[in-house]
Amino acid sequence: MFIIRHANPQDLNKIYALYKKVAQSRFGIARSPEEITESYIKNFMQPAAETGIELVILNPGNESEIIAEIHCYKPEPKIFTHVLSELTIAVAPDFQGQGLGKKIFTHLLEFITTSRPDILRVELFTQETNERAIALYTKIGFKKEGRFEKRIPGKNNVLEADIPMAWFNPAYLV
């Protein structure tokens, strides 16, 4: 059984190890392995702890290993106080295709619905050729909001569109 819980500062090195693995994959995350540093991890863990949400899934065979992580947080300036952005999800390559992405994403959205009435909008970006991700995001309630043409280097150095998507909290209270 997979355990989902909120991340804590002691998870830093485990999340760092996960991101190093995931960055090796073409559709893992939008960073290369050399861009994954302890500072990079700290720079999303801190705002997620202060204004957002960060969840992890532990490896059922080794609970000292994190095999999935998702985070988002409020962007600046203050006018975006109803928004969670900078959303990133990472699932260890050995555990992809087992529904963990959907599981942790669903948990995130349920938590927002039940515990974060201050949040109306959750936003993310994905590459247009990442059809698996777009299908998942659409299935769990995200809507495409447009295209940022020629934004992401794809195969053979062809620039492809970045697709902005958003989900809206049905329990939002103004």
Side-chain angles (χ1 to χ4, degrees), residues 17 24 28 85:
Q24 306 277 339
S85 191

Side-chain angles (χ1 to χ4, degrees), residues 38-152:
E38 187 175 302
S39 176
Y40 166 70
I41 304 299
K42 287 178 181 177
N43 285 338
F44 69 70
M45 287 186 75
Q46 181 178 351
E50 292 171 357
T51 68
I53 303 162
E54 184 177 20
L55 301 173
V56 296
I57 297 180
L58 305 178
N59 181 342
N62 176 7
E63 291 189 6
S64 66
E65 179 185 17
I66 290 173
I67 57 172
E69 184 270 355
I70 191 169
H71 67 267
C72 51
Y73 51 87
K74 292 181 179 183
E76 293 182 15
K78 194 174 182 176
I79 62 169
F80 297 119
T81 193
H82 63 289
V83 176
L84 290 179
S85 191
E86 302 299 327
L87 190 146
T88 303
I89 181 170
V91 177
D94 292 347
F95 291 87
Q96 291 179 4
Q98 297 181 31
L100 294 183
K102 181 178 180 183
K103 186 177 193 75
I104 198 168
F105 232 124
T106 301
H107 195 88
L108 173 81
L109 299 179
E110 287 172 359
F111 178 79
I112 292 167
T113 301
T114 60
S115 303
R116 294 296 301 268
D118 61 312
I119 299 302
L120 170 62
R121 175 185 174 86
V122 177
E123 50 190 35
L124 60 81
F125 295 88
T126 190
Q127 291 174 249
E128 69 180 323
T129 56
N130 194 348
E131 295 170 1
R132 280 182 57 201
I134 292 170
L136 169 64
Y137 304 151
T138 301
K139 188 173 188 173
I140 61 176
F142 279 78
K143 306 282 186 236
K144 291 182 185 178
E145 293 194 315
R147 298 170 61 83
F148 291 115
E149 293 295 337
K150 300 182 185 205
R151 191 163 187 234
I152 304 290

